[in-house]
């Protein structure tokens, strides 16, 4: 294996192990020694890649940010309309939070009160939700009189809430939870005269996977 | 002032200061010295009331638990039906989270990953939501075919999500956010033939206050 490949693999492994430590102990109580031990690398090897714990947390959050971006992008290219794209984006986000421990840790870090400079991932998700709702309105797919702000707050609130609730009990992050929310919410949002009726289930074939992923 | 009163006042002040420290630094990074300094009491005085940091966190969480209980109880005695009681209970909970820093810190502690023995406050809220929905169904106030599980998950998810989102930006916890959710959700839940139509706003006159409260 070329040296570059080996360095890239070590870096990925350090991110994966830092994510696992943050998940288990929270940011404040995680030590670099713990991350080294989990990854089976020396302290020198860790410092070759990351200056400090904050830099490791930044890298974990960046993975979550990229996953959020992919969920939004995947949704944007759907031919079945913006409202279905929003349903699919929420399912994609929930799926990647269920399946990828690094992305999950990254989201958790973004609202860890012991970090002050975390990425505003929830705000980005809120912005993605607003964009897709505006696109749905422009397509004539939203029912008349739907308050855009209310809809964006409800969708963002419930997706963030289910993610937080799943920390204690994974069932909250299951596909049925989000499908249940959409089953109740879609009839309020969708214009009854629109051609294609959105469905509350995920119509995308697969959740977006991380480039070069493989964590958990 | 009698000695007992003074002791009770010191205890309340220690809880209030511990809550402020947990809010600012998280559980793991809060030190007992910091709490003593904020409360203006000696380490000996703190240890007279609390054995350790975990005991302080337990006391803060107990305040949040009591507030949750009061929100549920207040809702239970409403004459305007169980569905309106659920709307009101969610608004009461949001109001007390906005207005009482100890209750807010208690809820945050309950999903702080650096504590393992926190109270399952979200699960208790979910149970309260399910109870009120079942009562609404028994009153004939729920629309036919509303999946009870979906409704409970949506209501619990959105209330927890808005509380978490408000950590970074207080506007998420505002009354308009929750009213917006109910404006969209109530037409799906409420039986159109039921006598009294529930409204998405808080019909209770005031949020439940803490017994002997006054924090923030």
């Amino acid at each position: 294996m070329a040296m570059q490949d080996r360095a890239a693999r070590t870096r990925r492994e350090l991110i994966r192990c830092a994510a696992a430590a943050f998940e288990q102990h929270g940011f404040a109580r995680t030590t670099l020694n713990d991350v080294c031990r989990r990854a089976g690398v020396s302290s020198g090897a860790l410092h070759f890649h990351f200056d400090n714990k904050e830099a490791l947390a930044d890298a974990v959050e960046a993975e979550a940010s990229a996953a959020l971006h992919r969920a939004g992008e995947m949704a944007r290219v759907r031919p079945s309309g913006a409202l279905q794209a929003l349903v699919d984006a929420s399912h994609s986000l929930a799926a990647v939070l269920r399946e990828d421990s690094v992305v999950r840790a990254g989201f958790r870090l973004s609202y860890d009160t012991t970090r002050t400079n975390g990425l505003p991932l929830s705000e980005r998700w809120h912005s993605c939700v607003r964009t897709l709702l505006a696109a749905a309105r422009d397509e004539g797919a939203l029912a008349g009189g739907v308050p855009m702000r209310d809809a964006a707050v409800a969708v963002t609130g419930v997706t963030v809430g289910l993610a937080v609730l799943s920390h204690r009990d994974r069932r909250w992050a299951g596909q049925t939870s989000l499908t249940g929310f959409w089953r109740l919410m879609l009839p309020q949002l969708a214009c009854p005269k629109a051609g294609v009726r959105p469905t509350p289930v995920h119509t995308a074939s697969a959740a977006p996977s991380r480039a070069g992923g493989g964590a958990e």
Side-chain angles (χ1 to χ4, degrees), chain A residues 5 7-17 63 211-213:
Chain A
D5 290 348
R9 208 172 68 165
T10 302
R11 189 175 187 280
R12 275 205 305 276
E13 186 62 7
L14 282 165
I15 292 174
R16 196 184 66 78
C17 291
E63 297 275 350

Side-chain angles (χ1 to χ4, degrees), chain A residues 3 5 15 34 41 49 58 81 88 97 117 149 164 172 176 203:
Chain A
M3 211 148 82
D5 290 348
I15 292 174
D34 183 20
V41 305
H49 292 282
D58 289 345
D88 288 346
L97 284 169
N117 54 349
R149 186 189 173 279
V164 170
W172 285 98
T176 47
T203 63

Side-chain angles (χ1 to χ4, degrees), chain A residues 153-186:
Chain A
V153 163
V155 173
T156 308
V158 84
T159 37
V160 169
L162 294 179
V164 170
L165 285 161
S166 73
H167 295 173
R168 283 181 89 109
D169 182 343
R170 285 287 171 86
R171 283 171 297 182
W172 285 98
Q175 209 170 345
T176 47
S177 295
L178 207 51
T179 301
F181 165 75
W182 283 118
R183 197 178 293 132
L184 287 164
M185 191 54 83
L186 273 179

